[in-house]
């Protein structure tokens, strides 16, 4: 019913709105604290005239802080700050001026502070709030809710306000970069501050002589205990846990840290060419280790993305002799994919040559299948690309039934030439009924029907319609050959959408497909 009342307020005449406002009288506090009633109060504040807004608001006198700290009531206070002219709510705003930092550290209070920064037109009061925030910026940056307020200032504040926050972070920037909440603030500084502040932060990290040890990490992690991350607040605290080993090089420690790695990526993204060069130098001798590490591999990928070709190749040289190890690793494969995407093909022919003798096995590998797809997308050496494609096409019926290989075949169908699509379709024809009821191959048959030309589509459909019986026990077993083991589609692109199923022997094939949990999708196509 609360939605209906909101619609009355939204679409009713002024007289209707006045009558509903009268119904609210004496109930505003109760409704503001109630899950559904608070929505009606917010809508009323949104659509009523200022005098009517203030009449409702008067009922909250003496209970403003109660509403602020309530999971429902805080939305009403936010709406008041957004919609009622500041000069009519100065008394309400004055409730907050003596407790800006505690409110900024509260799951609901932090929202109120952000709304004041956005909507308060009284510069004196707004400046009081801002000054309190800036004085406590290092403290709030490490708080699970306060960090959202600091991020808000960085995103919307003046250059001087941003600069003050950045300078407050400098003394602890390494520890904060590896802190669950403060790392988000350091990232925002790098994204929104001016060149001078950005240089200040980056140079502070590059000139640090050691990563924080146990005591430093403990101090950096001070705000991590208790409460859900980001509950009820805007912004992004994107990860959990993590501390660096004592006395480790700070930049390398950050690269391997689950928070710090994001900060290093921002350095690479927003830093000067000189900063990028320095970070690339820090990577030297560590590329393989980092490529195989969950967080380090992200930094290596970002470096490959932003560095010039010569610097890319210097990093890549450290993977010589370990390319296949990286390909088969859950982290390292992402680095090899990024190399194929970002480094000119003529500079990585030796790397691509590692794959030319094992295209089919790689296509059947949970991570290798991604490498093959990236080669098809980004390799500009037609000779090498054709070797890969020829191997795929020769094994297309086999790969179509593989839990990872089917993604490679789907990729060719989506992005290949008409001739390549036709060759795949023709390879499926002899087993098209069985493949249509196969966990993985059915996806390939669907893609054929969606992407092939009319001739190949007719060939497949006629092959199904002319079949004389659904596959029996032996046929179904053959069709299900690739189903055992491993999770469907794990680590690969594309969609293997269902599980299980085989048709009864000698049943009409189209009817069998209609009743099959895979085949029915093919018939729909």
């Amino acid at each position: 019913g609360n939605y209906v009342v909101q619609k009355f307020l939204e679409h009713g005449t002024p007289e209707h709105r006045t009558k509903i406002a009268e119904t609210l009288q004496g109930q505003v506090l109760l409704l503001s604290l109630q899950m559904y009633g608070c929505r009606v109060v917010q809508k009323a504040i949104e659509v009523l005239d200022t005098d009517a807004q203030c009449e409702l608001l008067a009922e909250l006198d003496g209970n403003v802080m109660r509403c602020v700290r309530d999971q429902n009531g805080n939305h009403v206070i936010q709406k008041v700050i957004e919609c009622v002219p500041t000069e009519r709510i100065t008394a309400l705003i004055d409730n907050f001026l003596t407790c800006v930092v505690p409110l900024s550290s509260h799951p609901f209070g932090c929202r109120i502070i952000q709304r004041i920064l956005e909507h308060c037109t009284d510069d004196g009061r707004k400046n009081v709030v801002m000054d309190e925030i800036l004085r406590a910026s290092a403290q709030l940056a490490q708080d699970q809710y306060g960090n959202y307020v600091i991020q808000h200032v960085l995103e919307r504040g003046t250059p001087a306000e941003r600069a003050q926050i950045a300078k407050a972070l400098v003394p602890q920037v390494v520890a904060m970069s590896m802190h669950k909440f403060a790392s988000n603030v350091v990232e925002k500084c790098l994204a929104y501050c001016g060149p001078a502040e950005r240089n200040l932060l980056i140079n502070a990290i590059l000139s640090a002589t050691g990563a924080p040890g146990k005591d430093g990490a403990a101090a950096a992690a001070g705000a991590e205990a208790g409460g859900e991350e980001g509950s009820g607040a805007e912004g992004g605290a994107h990860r959990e846990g993590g501390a660096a080993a004592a006395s480790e090089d700070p930049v390398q420690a950050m690269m391997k840290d689950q928070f710090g790695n994001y900060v290093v990526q921002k350095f690479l993204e927003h830093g000067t060419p000189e900063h990028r060069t320095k970070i690339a130098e820090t990577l030297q001798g560590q590329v393989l280790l980092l490529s195989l590490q969950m967080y380090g591999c992200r930094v290596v990928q970002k470096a490959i993305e932003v560095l010039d070709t010569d610097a890319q190749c210097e990093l890549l040289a450290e993977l010589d002799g370990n390319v296949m190890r990286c390909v088969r690793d859950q982290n390292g494969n992402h680095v090899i994919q990024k190399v194929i995407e970002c480094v000119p093909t003529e500079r990585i022919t030796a790397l691509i040559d590692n794959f030319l003798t094992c295209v089919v096995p790689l296509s059947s590998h949970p991570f290798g299948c991604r490498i093959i797809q990236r080669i098809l997308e980004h390799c500009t050496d037609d000779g090498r690309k054709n070797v890969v494609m020829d191997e795929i096409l020769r094994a297309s019926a086999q790969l179509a039934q593989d839990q990872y290989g089917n993604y490679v075949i789907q990729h060719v169908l989506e992005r290949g030439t008409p001739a390549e699509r036709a060759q795949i379709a023709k390879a499926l024809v002899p087993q098209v009924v069985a493949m249509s009821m196969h966990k993985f191959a059915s996806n390939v048959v669907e893609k054929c029907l969606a992407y092939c030309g009319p001739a190949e589509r007719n060939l497949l459909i006629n092959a199904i319609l002319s079949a004389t019986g659904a596959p029996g026990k032996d046929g179904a077993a053959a069709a299900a050959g690739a189903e055992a083991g491993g999770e469907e589609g794990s680590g690969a692109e594309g969609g293997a959408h269902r599980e299980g199923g085989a048709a009864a022997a000698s049943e009409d094939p189209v009817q069998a497909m209609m009743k099959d949990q895979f085949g029915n999708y093919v018939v729909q196509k």
Side-chain angles (χ1 to χ4, degrees), residues 283-351:
L283 284 168
Q284 288 174 3
Q286 300 290 316
V287 176
L288 177 60
L289 177 66
L290 290 168
S291 295
L292 299 175
Q293 202 262 352
M294 182 183 295
Y295 309 115
C297 74
R298 301 171 186 174
V299 175
V300 178
Q301 289 174 73
K302 180 60 73 173
I304 290 166
E305 197 176 293
V306 302
L307 294 175
D308 62 46
T309 303
D310 288 337
Q312 289 173 332
C313 292
E314 282 182 26
L315 298 184
L316 183 55
E318 293 192 28
L319 300 183
D320 284 350
N322 287 286
V323 169
M324 295 307 292
R325 180 181 174 190
C326 289
V327 167
R328 295 189 174 99
D329 182 79
Q330 62 180 342
N331 304 308
N333 81 88
H334 295 289
V335 172
I336 302 301
Q337 288 184 70
K338 188 63 71 174
V339 168
I340 296 168
E341 288 174 24
C342 297
V343 183
T345 299
E346 62 271 15
R347 300 293 294 272
I348 56 167
T349 53
L351 179 139

Side-chain angles (χ1 to χ4, degrees), residues 24-210:
L24 286 169
Q25 288 175 3
Q27 300 292 315
V28 177
L29 176 60
L30 179 66
L31 290 169
S32 295
L33 299 174
Q34 203 265 345
M35 182 183 295
Y36 307 116
C38 74
R39 301 172 186 174
V40 175
V41 177
Q42 289 174 74
K43 180 60 72 173
I45 291 166
E46 196 177 292
V47 303
L48 293 176
D49 62 46
T50 303
D51 289 337
Q53 290 172 330
C54 292
E55 282 182 26
L56 298 183
L57 182 56
E59 294 192 28
L60 300 182
D61 284 350
N63 288 285
V64 169
M65 296 306 291
R66 180 182 176 189
C67 289
V68 166
R69 295 188 173 100
D70 182 79
Q71 63 180 341
N72 304 308
N74 81 89
H75 295 288
V76 172
I77 303 299
Q78 288 184 72
K79 188 63 72 174
V80 168
I81 296 167
E82 288 173 24
C83 297
V84 183
T86 299
E87 62 271 15
R88 300 294 294 272
I89 56 168
T90 53
L92 178 140
I93 292 174
D94 287 344
N95 284 277
F96 313 134
L97 300 187
T98 58
C99 54
V100 173
V101 175
L103 281 178
S104 296
S105 304
H106 188 274
F108 310 135
C110 68
R111 302 170 176 177
I112 304 302
I113 298 300
Q114 291 174 69
R115 296 299 85 76
I116 291 173
L117 295 177
E118 288 169 7
H119 300 284
C120 178
T121 58
D122 182 321
D123 289 339
R125 287 176 168 84
K126 185 174 179 179
N127 288 340
V128 169
V129 173
M130 183 62 77
D131 289 345
E132 290 293 308
I133 292 168
L134 294 176
R135 271 195 291 272
S137 55
Q139 171 192 338
L140 291 174
Q142 298 174 76
D143 184 80
Q144 63 177 328
Y145 305 112
N147 81 89
Y148 297 115
V149 175
I150 302 300
Q151 289 184 62
H152 188 278
V153 176
L154 289 166
E155 290 170 358
R156 299 166 182 252
T158 66
E161 291 160 354
R162 292 172 178 148
Q164 193 168 334
I165 291 170
K167 287 171 185 172
L169 301 186
V170 166
Q172 304 177 63
V173 67
V174 173
M176 288 202 176
S177 295
M178 294 188 280
H179 186 277
K180 180 175 182 178
F181 308 119
S183 60
N184 297 289
V185 175
V186 179
E187 286 182 52
K188 282 290 196 302
C189 280
L190 294 170
Y192 288 94
C193 285
E197 291 74 42
R198 199 177 293 135
N199 290 344
L200 195 66
L201 290 166
I202 295 175
N203 289 334
I205 288 177
L206 292 173
S207 63
T209 54

Side-chain angles (χ1 to χ4, degrees), residues 410-427:
Q410 289 184 61
H411 188 277
V412 175
L413 288 167
E414 290 170 358
R415 300 167 182 251
T417 66
E420 291 160 355
R421 292 172 178 148
Q423 192 167 337
I424 292 171
K426 288 171 185 172

Side-chain angles (χ1 to χ4, degrees), residues 178 210-214 217 243-250 253 256-257:
M178 294 188 280
K214 188 175 181 182
S247 76
E248 189 175 7
D249 176 87
K256 291 182 277 188
D257 183 81

